[in-house]
Amino acid sequence: MNKIIPQPGIMDIALYQGGQSHVEGVENVIKLSSNENPFGPSPKAIEAVRDSATMLHRYPATDHCNLRAAIGERHGLDPDRIICGVGSDEVLQFVAQAYAGPGDEVIHTEHGFSMYPIIARMAGASPVEVPERDRKVDVDAILAAVTDRTRIVFVTNPGNPTSTMISNAELTRLAEGLPQTCLMVLDGAYAEFVAGFDGGAGLVDRFDNVIMTRTFSKIYGLGGMRVGWGYAHREIIDVLNRVRQPFNLSLTAIAAAEAAVADVEYVEFCRAENARLREWLSAELAKIGVPSDPSCTNFILARFSDQAEAEACDAYLQSKGLIVRRVAGYKLPNALRITVGDEKACRRVVAAITAFKGGAA
């Protein structure tokens, strides 16, 4: 009997590994491995979810009109140039599905989001990895890697898992250097943690081949709802909507996101608390010989002397009920990505790593 064979490239896809959420034999763990908002979603979003329960027999809107309007009002953007997806991941997938295929190349950086090469291979395209410089996106390296086969360049800004970001001037230089046949995708999942940062919206308005993506999974605390969005010129949005399934977002997810994006006061609270605790956490760890780059996100990338020490520290933290993220798969074997939790969680992390460094392990 003939064997059913998947399309070329599918079996080259490495399975995505999400953040660990439990430790065998340890109760009451604190999960700091997925960059979730420790304060949860806006109370208004929770109320909207409850209210939506009476309408679960109804199909959701296919055009996400009200949600796009709410996003547009909050960020000063044209709702007709916004597309919504099941997390920003789905919007990224739309881009690859619509603009890349066999024989094409998709550029991503060495420490960039691990979904980029997966998404490229899903479309049948070839992922091309370029180096970063001191855990930052290297514009010159990207431009040097561009060929006549390059169709998409994925840039995470701020970066994950690096926590670093490059300036608008550098992003502009990259956009100016790319051919018009290549899309520049600015993945801004952590953009809201940078006060005054537009995530690249201004560049989208300036360049026809730039698209920005955002998510409700981070500062809005709606990771369990899976809502994201993208902003680009209408011609691109029209193309992406042709590969989007009409009912990709649930009625409840839409209601939660609409309420969350409108609750500006809650977002400001989360941003301020994250910044305060992030600075304290990084400073305290630096004092005991665990440095990290200045973070523009809701996590820090704590660096150890080598991979062995990083893994030993991770094991020790798990024994204390603290789950962080190993990032050897991102070519950062000597580092641990630590989500900025609430104050209690941050203090527990510092106490545990201090004990580990002091030999208590």
Side-chain angles (χ1 to χ4, degrees):
M1 185 175 73
N2 293 330
K3 184 178 181 180
I4 298 175
I5 300 174
Q7 289 292 314
I10 297 298
M11 296 310 296
D12 294 328
I13 296 174
L15 295 177
Y16 178 80
Q17 299 294 321
Q20 186 178 345
S21 59
H22 70 277
V23 178
E24 187 174 353
V26 180
E27 297 182 355
N28 301 318
V29 300
I30 296 178
K31 182 185 176 187
L32 302 171
S33 58
S34 295
N35 302 335
E36 296 157 332
N37 186 336
F39 306 109
S42 158
K44 295 179 180 178
I46 296 173
E47 182 180 359
V49 168
R50 292 194 180 108
D51 291 344
S52 75
T54 62
M55 300 295 291
L56 295 183
H57 58 301
R58 302 296 186 190
Y59 279 98
T62 61
D63 61 1
H64 313 134
C65 181
N66 292 340
L67 176 55
R68 289 187 294 106
I71 293 170
E73 180 177 357
R74 173 66 185 90
H75 296 286
L77 305 176
D78 179 359
D80 289 338
R81 294 170 58 188
I82 294 172
I83 185 171
C84 298
V86 181
S88 55
D89 300 25
E90 190 181 39
V91 180
L92 300 175
Q93 185 177 338
F94 294 156
V95 174
Q97 184 179 355
Y99 289 100
D104 296 331
E105 295 177 345
V106 174
I107 289 177
H108 64 95
T109 62
E110 66 175 320
H111 304 313
F113 185 31
S114 62
M115 280 301 298
Y116 300 149
I118 292 176
I119 288 170
R121 289 191 172 98
M122 287 170 62
S126 300
V128 176
E129 181 180 292
V130 301
E132 295 189 11
R133 180 181 300 174
D134 297 327
R135 297 167 299 281
K136 283 190 176 183
V137 169
D138 187 335
V139 170
D140 291 321
I142 293 175
L143 292 175
V146 173
T147 71
D148 58 3
R149 296 171 56 194
T150 306
R151 295 292 173 265
I152 300 171
V153 172
F154 285 120
V155 177
T156 321
N157 200 49
N160 172 31
T162 61
S163 84
T164 62
M165 68 182 295
I166 59 174
S167 68
N168 193 64
E170 283 292 275
L171 291 174
T172 301
R173 188 164 71 86
L174 177 56
E176 290 174 339
L178 293 176
Q180 284 296 304
T181 54
C182 175
L183 269 177
M184 173 174 159
V185 182
L186 298 176
D187 183 350
Y190 298 91
E192 284 85 1
F193 292 101
V194 184
F197 180 48
D198 71 354
L203 288 173
V204 173
D205 292 336
R206 182 175 170 185
F207 296 94
D208 293 340
N209 60 332
V210 176
I211 178 171
M212 173 187 74
T213 63
R214 305 280 277 271
T215 185
F216 281 88
S217 296
K218 303 306 177 184
I219 203 166
Y220 291 106
L222 293 178
M225 284 294 176
R226 309 304 303 127
V227 184
W229 55 281
Y231 176 65
H233 282 264
R234 291 190 185 186
E235 293 80 2
I236 293 176
I237 295 299
D238 177 64
V239 171
L240 301 185
N241 271 318
R242 293 173 189 273
V243 298
R244 177 182 66 83
Q245 294 198 37
F247 299 108
N248 61 327
L249 291 184
S250 72
L251 182 148
T252 299
I254 292 171
E258 285 180 26
V261 76
D263 195 348
V264 177
E265 183 178 352
Y266 186 75
V267 171
E268 292 296 336
F269 161 77
C270 293
R271 180 188 295 116
E273 278 297 281
N274 175 77
R276 179 179 72 87
L277 293 168
R278 179 183 64 200
E279 295 307 310
W280 181 84
L281 177 62
S282 61
E284 291 300 307
L285 291 183
K287 291 177 183 177
I288 57 173
V290 182
S292 57
D293 295 314
S295 173
C296 301
T297 60
N298 67 335
F299 61 87
I300 66 168
L301 186 68
R303 302 197 305 277
F304 296 82
S305 58
D306 53 30
Q307 182 171 358
E309 186 185 31
E311 291 180 352
C313 184
D314 178 48
Y316 183 74
L317 290 173
Q318 289 193 35
S319 73
K320 299 300 180 182
L322 297 166
I323 303 176
V324 299
R325 184 73 175 266
R326 293 189 188 183
V327 284
Y330 284 92
K331 300 189 176 180
L332 295 161
N334 68 327
L336 296 175
R337 193 188 70 183
I338 305 174
T339 301
V340 178
D342 58 17
E343 186 154 353
K344 179 181 178 181
C346 288
R347 291 188 178 279
R348 279 187 59 180
V349 167
V350 170
I353 297 181
T354 298
F356 169 79
K357 292 289 285 187

